Amino acid sequence: METAEASEQIKQMCRFIEQEAKEKVEEINMKTQQDHDKEEQTLLIDGRIALTKEFEKKRQELGVRKRIIRAKAAAEQLASKMKSREELLDQLISKVTDKLVAIANDKSAYEAYIVKLIVQACIKLQETDVQIRCREEDKSVVELALGKAQDEFKTFMTENASTVPELNLSLSETFLPPAPPQVGLSCAGGIVALAKGGRIKCDNTFDRRMEQAFEALKPVVRHNLFPSQIATEIIHGSAMAAAH
């Protein structure tokens, strides 16, 4: 009897231990699953954060590349536009130069221009002895103009100054470059007045006068050749209003 009871107690203890073991195993498995789920969730969150950061980094890099590409394209477009504008301005200057050369080729009219250019230069220099330098092809025209220029200078100073300074004009032995087109330096016409052994001079060539006029009128020239979009819209709007 005692043996049976002892055996039953042992069986109960085994069942209890087994039950405890099962519960412990379940607890461990549950804890393990919870830790796994937690770690998996943490890894998932960290992964999403990392992906978000990487995406934002790539987005910013892409934005920078796009801005660089747009800026480069805009710079190339502007450079192309400026090159085209400069070429157009060069063509304009070339056409004006051709017209100045044509004036110089009309000797009867050219002499009057030379007289005025000499007088203007002498008024500016206010020197007694002035040499006039011209193109070699204009030598005969300038020689005829010297006396007339001296008379016009005297008349101008008599009318506009209290005293009339003495003026001695002579032709320089060196010449300006010939007319364009040619390789190297050229001169469309006009003269250079020299005094004090060449230390003082007044450049009254057609080329220099054209440069001065172009610089002074550059805003007007650019506006007429390359009107802005706003100006175009204003002009277009005015025309439409006039039509209605």
Side-chain angles (χ1 to χ4, degrees):
M1 193 66 184
E2 292 179 355
T3 301
E5 290 180 357
S7 178
E8 185 62 27
Q9 288 180 354
I10 289 172
K11 289 180 180 179
Q12 288 179 356
M13 290 178 65
C14 288
R15 286 195 296 270
F16 177 76
I17 291 171
E18 185 179 354
Q19 183 64 31
E20 284 288 325
K22 286 181 179 180
E23 291 178 357
K24 192 64 176 176
V25 168
E26 290 177 359
E27 182 181 348
I28 291 171
N29 287 338
M30 185 179 296
K31 182 69 166 62
T32 301
Q33 185 64 39
Q34 289 176 348
D35 291 343
H36 176 269
D37 292 343
K38 183 177 180 181
E39 184 177 357
E40 185 179 24
Q41 188 68 20
T42 301
L43 290 173
L44 182 61
I45 293 173
D46 291 343
R48 286 177 178 174
I49 293 173
L51 284 174
T52 301
K53 288 183 178 178
E54 184 66 19
F55 175 79
E56 182 63 23
K57 179 181 177 183
K58 295 296 183 183
R59 189 184 67 80
Q60 291 178 355
E61 290 176 353
L62 180 61
V64 170
R65 285 199 295 270
K66 285 183 177 179
R67 287 195 293 273
I68 292 173
I69 292 172
R70 284 197 296 266
K72 185 177 179 181
E76 290 176 352
Q77 184 179 11
L78 178 61
S80 177
K81 183 185 294 184
M82 295 305 295
K83 182 180 179 182
S84 298
R85 289 185 174 187
E86 289 303 320
E87 289 175 352
L88 186 57
L89 289 174
D90 289 341
Q91 292 174 12
L92 176 62
I93 291 174
S94 178
K95 289 182 179 180
V96 174
T97 301
D98 291 342
K99 290 185 177 182
L100 293 174
V101 171
I103 292 174
N105 289 335
D106 182 0
K107 299 305 179 183
S108 59
Y110 186 44
E111 183 183 345
Y113 283 105
I114 291 295
V115 171
K116 293 184 182 301
L117 292 174
I118 293 174
V119 173
Q120 289 175 356
C122 292
I123 291 172
K124 183 175 181 180
L125 292 178
Q126 291 292 307
E127 295 290 335
T128 302
D129 298 311
V130 177
Q131 277 192 336
I132 303 302
R133 182 174 295 167
C134 65
R135 302 181 304 180
E136 188 170 8
E137 60 199 89
D138 297 336
K139 182 179 178 181
S140 59
V141 176
V142 175
E143 285 176 338
L144 291 174
L146 288 180
K148 297 178 181 178
Q150 194 154 349
D151 291 340
E152 284 198 17
F153 173 80
K154 183 177 180 180
T155 300
F156 177 86
M157 297 304 293
T158 300
E159 295 174 352
N160 296 277
S162 56
T163 58
V164 179
E166 184 181 354
L167 175 63
N168 299 313
L169 293 175
S170 62
L171 189 63
S172 173
E173 295 179 357
T174 57
F175 298 101
L176 298 174
Q182 64 159 15
V183 178
L185 297 176
S186 64
C187 177
I191 57 94
V192 174
L194 306 163
K196 303 293 185 184
R199 294 192 300 274
I200 303 175
K201 73 176 182 177
C202 175
D203 188 341
N204 238 3
T205 58
F206 281 177
D207 309 77
R208 181 56 181 160
R209 296 298 291 268
M210 178 181 65
E211 289 175 7
Q212 292 173 338
F214 181 76
E215 286 300 320
L217 297 174
K218 185 178 288 186
V220 177
V221 172
R222 289 188 180 277
H223 174 72
N224 289 332
L225 290 178
F226 322 112
S228 65
Q229 183 177 358
I230 296 176
T232 303
E233 290 176 354
I234 291 174
I235 294 172
H236 180 70
S238 299
M240 292 294 290
H244 288 294

